[in-house]
Amino acid sequence: MDEIYPGLNMIRGKIIEVTERDVKIEFKGRMGMLRVPLRMLISDRHPSIGDEVELMMSYVTLINDGR
């Protein structure tokens, strides 16, 4: 995967809550939580609590200093 997408990190987690519109994901390694709309989840079936997920993420780049 590193050769195809250099600079991206694979972050793994588990679904801890499912509602009619979104899922809440808790990431491993104290990386926090994220609530994602169902339309942004790539899956062949409806998600369930306990399903494992992964997210490809790059580092955040500061584009201005806010002044």
Side-chain angles (χ1 to χ4, degrees):
M1 183 70 69
D2 292 334
E3 300 86 29
I4 299 172
Y5 301 107
L8 292 179
N9 299 315
M10 190 66 69
I11 302 172
R12 295 179 185 254
K14 190 178 289 189
I15 295 175
I16 59 171
E17 183 182 331
V18 179
T19 69
E20 60 187 35
R21 65 173 192 222
D22 58 23
V23 296
K24 187 175 185 180
I25 301 167
E26 183 177 53
F27 293 106
K28 296 180 180 181
R30 296 178 55 164
M31 291 296 292
M33 294 183 208
L34 180 67
R35 192 173 291 272
V36 179
L38 286 174
R39 68 179 181 271
M40 293 182 67
L41 185 66
I42 300 170
S43 177
D44 294 338
R45 61 179 180 79
H46 193 74
S48 300
I49 293 175
D51 286 346
E52 291 195 17
V53 297
E54 52 188 21
L55 168 74
M56 290 192 319
M57 185 173 125
S58 67
Y59 292 103
V60 177
T61 303
L62 181 66
I63 57 173
N64 70 25
D65 60 6
R67 293 184 210 180

